[in-house]
Amino acid sequence: MSTPQRQVLTAFDEKHIGLSKGSLSLVLILTRNAKARNFPLEKTHFVTAKGGQVVGLGGSAVRKILIDHGVERILSTEGGRTSRGNMERMGAYIDALNLLFAQGTLDLDEAERYWVERTHAYFDALPFIFKLDPARSLRACVRDLLAQAVARQREVKGTMYAGAVMQHLVGAKLDYLTKGAAIHHGFSVADAPSNRSGDFLIGDVAIHVTTAPGEALMRKCQGNLSLGLRPLVVTTEDGVGGAKALSKQAGVDDRLDVIEIEQFIATNVYEWSVFERDARPTAVQDIIERYNRIVADVESDPSLRIEFEG
């Protein structure tokens, strides 16, 4: 629900803050420090004795505030150095808090929660990074990308980032192979019970992409086989053993294929680059561009995007 204070904070946010980690760190610190001061606030109370820096501005202090709100992710690791722009923002923010106080609508706890919400929005807007390190194997580079998704999944409960990234990476490969004819679905749609044969159906192959193979997947694979389709499971390195064990229990271990996602992607990079070192960055960039187009088409979460660092 919009309150007079929230309207003021939103207007201030749009004009001075935005999704900037430095600016968000500033207002989080100022809001917390204002709780220990009497109103109306004096700007000099928030500046160090020598001037030029905001009192208490630093990565550890920001982290403590976020932890108080159950946020484990790190917004900033920087120390207390303050830019000229932040000094101007500080003055404008103190004016805004004093205005709210004069109007009788100031609630510093609610203001702090507002900036924590905006910090969540900042984190949500961050893309994953695929770093092509020539000193490391392609599989290790893919593994690092998936590790980012797993880490974010731990921080943002209820969102299966790793599964979504895997599904759309596979989709990007199929997009190339089929010259854009592959049909893509949002991850939440693909993960829900449905009558579709798999996440992708290419020719007579039903492709299932999963981080955690289970008995439900095996039943679906059995259904594929009864329809004359060939099931293919693409999963994580840890998931390969489980998928093979489950397929043996289901009596279909010699009738389906299980491929590990890192190998699945790395093999294609080698093939598309014709095993030429200088062509590999182009091949990786092609996969990522296709991936990002798919995400833009079928997902509503912009943080699923991947940026390429060659």
Side-chain angles (χ1 to χ4, degrees):
M1 182 177 68
S2 180
T3 63
Q5 172 172 280
R6 193 173 186 87
Q7 291 170 6
V8 170
L9 292 177
T10 300
F12 179 85
D13 185 11
E14 292 173 351
K15 184 176 181 180
H16 297 284
I17 307 302
L19 297 182
S20 163
K21 66 179 182 180
S23 298
L24 287 167
S25 296
L26 174 75
V27 289
L28 282 166
I29 290 293
L30 288 173
T31 306
R32 177 61 64 92
N33 289 349
K35 295 179 181 181
R37 294 288 178 180
N38 295 321
F39 278 80
L41 300 172
E42 294 287 342
K43 296 175 186 177
T44 54
H45 293 163
F46 296 87
V47 182
T48 56
K50 293 183 178 180
Q53 293 188 28
V54 174
V55 172
L57 182 60
S60 59
V62 173
R63 179 164 172 73
K64 182 181 183 306
I65 295 170
L66 293 177
I67 288 175
D68 287 346
H69 291 267
V71 180
E72 297 289 339
R73 300 175 75 177
I74 296 174
L75 179 62
S76 176
T77 58
E78 299 171 358
R81 298 182 65 84
T82 306
S83 67
R84 179 178 176 181
N86 263 354
M87 291 298 291
E88 293 173 354
R89 291 184 191 93
M90 184 230 24
Y93 189 55
I94 296 302
D95 288 341
L97 293 181
N98 281 336
L99 173 63
L100 289 168
F101 174 76
Q103 294 174 343
T105 58
L106 179 66
D107 182 338
L108 286 173
D109 289 334
E110 178 58 33
E112 188 169 287
R113 286 192 291 271
Y114 173 85
W115 295 119
V116 171
E117 287 176 18
R118 296 299 292 152
T119 302
H120 276 297
Y122 167 81
F123 287 137
D124 290 345
L126 292 176
F128 296 110
I129 303 296
F130 187 101
K131 184 174 178 59
L132 185 60
D133 185 346
R136 307 186 70 202
S137 70
L138 283 170
R139 288 188 62 182
C141 295
V142 176
R143 187 180 308 128
D144 284 348
L145 173 66
L146 296 177
Q148 293 174 47
V150 171
R152 186 174 296 181
Q153 193 166 294
R154 293 195 190 103
E155 296 162 352
V156 184
K157 305 299 182 185
T159 304
M160 307 304 288
Y161 286 104
V165 170
M166 283 176 52
Q167 177 180 308
H168 297 314
L169 280 175
V170 171
K173 169 182 175 174
L174 298 177
D175 187 69
Y176 174 84
L177 293 176
T178 64
K179 297 180 171 57
I183 298 174
H184 306 277
H185 302 273
F187 176 71
S188 60
V189 176
D191 199 44
S194 70
N195 293 322
R196 287 188 287 111
S197 300
D199 295 311
F200 302 96
L201 180 60
I202 308 295
D204 69 339
V205 179
I207 302 172
H208 306 272
V209 186
T210 179
T211 60
E215 293 181 359
L217 173 62
M218 289 302 115
R219 288 194 293 272
K220 204 147 199 178
C221 290
Q222 289 172 318
N224 294 155
L225 292 166
S226 67
L227 295 173
L229 299 174
R230 300 180 64 88
L232 168 62
V233 176
V234 181
T235 187
T236 62
E237 184 177 20
D238 291 339
V240 168
K244 289 182 177 179
L246 287 167
S247 66
K248 188 169 185 178
Q249 290 176 12
V252 296
D253 54 308
D254 60 348
R255 302 181 66 193
L256 63 79
D257 291 299
V258 181
I259 299 179
E260 184 257 321
I261 182 70
E262 296 168 15
Q263 179 182 359
F264 188 79
I265 300 299
T267 300
N268 277 266
V269 172
Y270 282 121
E271 291 174 349
W272 297 0
S273 63
V274 199
F275 296 90
E276 294 183 5
R277 180 182 60 188
D278 294 341
R280 278 175 212 147
T282 302
V284 172
Q285 197 157 12
D286 188 348
I287 291 174
I288 291 173
E289 287 175 356
R290 292 173 186 272
Y291 168 97
N292 285 334
R293 285 199 295 270
I294 293 166
V295 166
D297 286 343
V298 303
E299 300 288 359
S300 60
D301 185 350
S303 71
L304 285 170
R305 293 177 298 111
I306 296 174
E307 283 188 2
F308 173 61
E309 289 186 3

